Amino acid sequence: MVEEKFYSDRERLVQALTQDCASALQRGIKERGQASFLVSGGSTPEPAYRALSKRPLPWQQINVALVDERWVDRTEKGSNQAFIEKSLLQNNAVDAPFLGMKTPHATAAEGEADCERAYAELPRPFDVCILGMGGDGHTASLFPHADGLEAALDPQATQLCRAITANRSEVTGEHVERMTLSLAAILQSHDIKLLITGDEKLKVYREALLGSDELAMPVRSILKQGLKPVTVYWAP
């Protein structure tokens, strides 16, 4: 269920990813009159977001929503919402409907119910879900042994959004409180795209494929779920 698309350089990866996302979104619009585009932060997808923003797609029919978010306001450093607004929601995509995760609540746990209600309104199946992977084997904000991880990884769960508290590390930095899509939500996507770059991330990916402990490397829950195909994009 895992298809690998490996490229000789990141420019080729970005070109392929941009075209694949555009095609999938157009397919969703053709089939249902609208599409859902689930997006992650990070430097790897950023060039593809910028390229997509210039595509003449019917953006008003494409619902853009976050895969995960640090529990910070959009004016604060590390906000995925601010990142998407600056990278994707520009040019032709400036009027695309957008759904963020951060609510006015003090904690992610308190904001979970409002986030859930909002995400339940998105058209499903989601057409494209963009995921990254950290050097610790996390994806979205599904961090190893995080508080709330086990419930978030239940593939039979009905809840789309989960509050997560990670263990502070070099990967998480100070922002350990997060909101994330659950595994069950991600599996409601037509196309799941996992982006990795560099030799070190490739080693982590290979390790994830070999092992089985999802709590130690949550990306395994995506790679080994056996229900939906996953496309892995990699370049040096």
Side-chain angles (χ1 to χ4, degrees):
M1 298 288 281
V2 176
E3 178 186 6
E4 295 179 344
K5 291 189 174 183
F6 287 9
Y7 299 92
S8 58
D9 58 62
R10 297 189 188 189
E11 183 177 355
R12 287 180 171 82
L13 183 157
V14 168
Q15 290 173 347
L17 177 63
T18 302
Q19 182 56 49
D20 290 350
C21 287
S23 296
L25 295 171
Q26 288 172 317
R27 179 197 62 225
I29 292 168
K30 182 178 180 180
E31 292 177 354
R32 303 189 309 278
Q34 56 184 328
S36 297
F37 189 21
L38 303 179
V39 293
S40 296
S43 59
T44 301
E46 183 176 6
Y49 293 157
R50 295 189 182 280
L52 276 168
S53 77
K54 298 175 183 177
R55 291 285 183 108
L57 300 173
W59 283 102
Q60 291 183 337
Q61 297 165 259
I62 299 173
N63 298 273
V64 178
L66 292 179
V67 165
D68 67 321
E69 179 64 283
R70 299 170 182 86
W71 206 248
V72 298
D73 291 331
R74 59 187 293 273
T75 56
E76 295 182 58
K77 183 179 179 181
S79 167
N80 279 339
Q81 177 171 342
F83 169 78
I84 294 299
E85 288 174 347
K86 292 175 183 176
S87 57
L88 177 61
L89 302 181
Q90 300 287 327
N91 304 307
N92 293 329
V94 70
D95 292 324
F98 174 74
L99 179 59
M101 286 182 150
K102 178 66 170 66
T103 70
H105 297 87
T107 68
E110 292 170 343
E112 194 177 68
D114 279 0
C115 192
E116 181 71 17
R117 281 190 288 269
Y119 270 72
E121 296 298 318
L122 286 173
R124 285 179 272 171
F126 307 123
D127 293 278
V128 181
C129 179
I130 302 290
L131 299 174
M133 185 194 72
D136 60 352
H138 85 268
T139 189
S141 279
L142 303 168
F143 287 93
H145 304 294
D147 184 15
L149 178 63
E150 193 166 354
L153 292 184
D154 179 0
Q156 304 301 321
T158 58
Q159 194 165 327
L160 302 173
C161 302
R162 286 284 186 179
I164 287 280
T165 303
N167 299 309
R168 183 165 180 168
S169 67
E170 291 182 4
V171 176
T172 64
E174 63 181 311
H175 300 304
V176 297
E177 193 173 356
R178 310 283 184 108
M179 188 73 75
T180 187
L181 289 183
S182 64
L183 174 63
I186 293 169
L187 293 181
Q188 294 183 49
S189 303
H190 191 281
D191 285 352
I192 301 173
K193 301 182 182 300
L194 178 65
L195 315 182
I196 55 176
T197 53
D199 291 338
E200 289 303 312
K201 291 282 185 75
L202 185 60
K203 290 179 182 178
V204 174
Y205 165 67
R206 297 296 191 204
E207 181 182 351
L209 287 176
L210 291 173
S212 60
D213 187 346
E214 295 180 356
L215 296 180
M217 296 185 75
V219 73
R220 286 176 175 143
S221 67
I222 303 296
L223 296 170
K224 294 176 171 290
Q225 37 79 24
L227 299 171
K228 290 291 182 70
V230 178
T231 306
V232 178
Y233 295 74
W234 175 84

